[in-house]
Amino acid sequence: MNKLKQIPVVSKELLFPFIIITSLFALWGIANDLTNPMVSAFKKVMPELSNVQASLVQFAFYFGYFFMALPGALFIRKYSYKSGIILGLSLYAIGAFLFYPAAVNEEFNYFLISLWVITCGLAFLETTSNPLILMLGDKRTATQRLNLAQAFNPIGSLTGMIIAQVFVIGALRSDDYTKEAYNALSSDELAVIRENDLGIISVPYIALGVLVLIIMAIIIFTKMPVTAENDKISLSESFRKLFSNKNYLHGVLTQAFYVGAQIMCWTYIFQYVDNLNESDGTEYTATYFNIVAMISFLVGRWIGTALMKKVNPSKLLMYFGIGGVMCCAGAILLPGIIGLISLVAISVFMSIMFPTIYGIALKDMGDEAKIGSAGLVMAIVGGALMPVLQGSILDWGGDGFADVQLLGFIPEVKFSFILPLICLAMVAFYGYRTQKSSELIK
């Protein structure tokens, strides 16, 4: 144990490339949490959309990961990590700039295509960055190193949330009216408001595209580390090893459940708060609670990374999974602000899950980690599928949030959080069953 404590998480000679690659984690965090509130935003700007249709924002965004992760892995396998990063940033920028024609044409499907292209780029970035971080140091500190790098992702997420609230949600004219007043407007007035609001939605993405191009230019002129290729194996052998690795396969499934839980909690907190405002007469701002959730997530990530010096990562994953399940139950069963606080607290327990599942699933892999990484990034498709299922629960009784009262006191918007509860229970179980195999990856 003393020897393990003496091993640095990041060595001095690899510190600079570690910092450069870690900056990308914040970059995709901005996109993720700028997009989460867009489900609610599009529903307000385009009230003809059902909750399920509005949730297609998340489906389009996270389906790009599933579609492009394996091609991304094959690309970096043939070329290099740096090439994969540059291509990923290029797609990211193109998708962001496509928001302009989408807003001009006022076509919801065009926005969905733009989001899909953005995440095709993010798939390249995540497929590249995660395994590269694992390789930048001793394998016994790999999970700690990835948790450390991932700790900067919430900083980008907080930035995305603030941008969404200040420059989008807070500026939407369609949100200034009650449902009755909005429906009473003339067709010309509605057309002006829609044009204005869709333009507002597009501006942050276009600005983000410019930022991505600047970062890409810096990376092009930066010398990236070259990883050893001495143990390179054939593609067929990579797949054979992966499909025979139960720890990896279960990790991919668990990652899909985790990402689904995360996206549901951070997306439908807006509907949860809207329901409280309607039923209790409060005037809460959902984004502020989401920001607190993200700060809690960031703090939990730092605490979790520190705890891994002494606690088995799998055991910690199990404990955090159980904590998340309990908070989900609180969000469903507890009334008013107490239930909302429980929903926010879920983020503390979700904080270590993505990188920890990632590190456990890729334990002891060689060259097949490049393809293995693709499977774990493809698992992000859970963030595309699960919000649609949750949206369908919200539509049980109509477009409202409390059209159906389960057991006489649980509105469907609160009951819908049974889905993240189930997902986090699966994460806890994966932590439980992998405790012995992860003893050496602290």
Side-chain angles (χ1 to χ4, degrees), residues 5 15 41-42 87 92 122 127 138 180 190 207 220 243 249 253 340 345 355-356 398 409 416:
K5 287 183 178 179
L15 182 59
F42 276 111
L87 181 54
Y92 190 156
L122 297 185
T127 303
D138 192 286
E180 293 76 15
L190 290 172
I220 287 174
F243 281 106
L249 295 177
L253 181 61
L340 179 55
T356 304
F409 73 99
S416 68

Side-chain angles (χ1 to χ4, degrees), residues 267-278:
T267 298
Y268 288 102
I269 189 174
F270 290 87
Q271 287 80 353
Y272 194 101
V273 170
D274 285 344
N275 175 65
L276 283 184
N277 290 339
E278 290 180 8

Side-chain angles (χ1 to χ4, degrees), residues 5 7 32 67 100 130 155 220 225 232 285 308 312 387 390:
K5 287 183 178 179
I7 298 173
N32 290 345
F67 181 84
Y100 177 75
N130 286 297
I155 296 174
I220 287 174
K232 190 169 184 178
T285 300
M308 284 182 192
N312 182 307
Q390 189 168 8

Side-chain angles (χ1 to χ4, degrees), residues 143-159:
T143 302
Q144 276 184 262
R145 189 161 48 254
L146 187 55
N147 268 281
L148 177 60
Q150 287 273 2
F152 290 88
N153 174 261
I155 296 174
S157 295
L158 279 170
T159 303

Side-chain angles (χ1 to χ4, degrees), residues 8-19 136-137:
V9 177
V10 184
S11 61
K12 291 182 179 180
E13 59 269 22
L14 295 174
L15 182 59
F16 186 64
F18 175 83
I19 292 172
L136 292 177

Side-chain angles (χ1 to χ4, degrees), residues 272 326-336 339 407 409-410 414-415 421:
Y272 194 101
M326 294 174 65
C327 288
C328 282
I332 296 169
L333 299 173
L334 298 177
L407 302 178
F409 73 99
I410 305 175
K414 297 187 71 172
F415 180 77
L421 184 152

Side-chain angles (χ1 to χ4, degrees), residues 279-290:
S279 62
D280 297 353
T282 54
E283 295 183 0
Y284 298 136
T285 300
T287 298
Y288 298 151
F289 286 95
N290 223 8

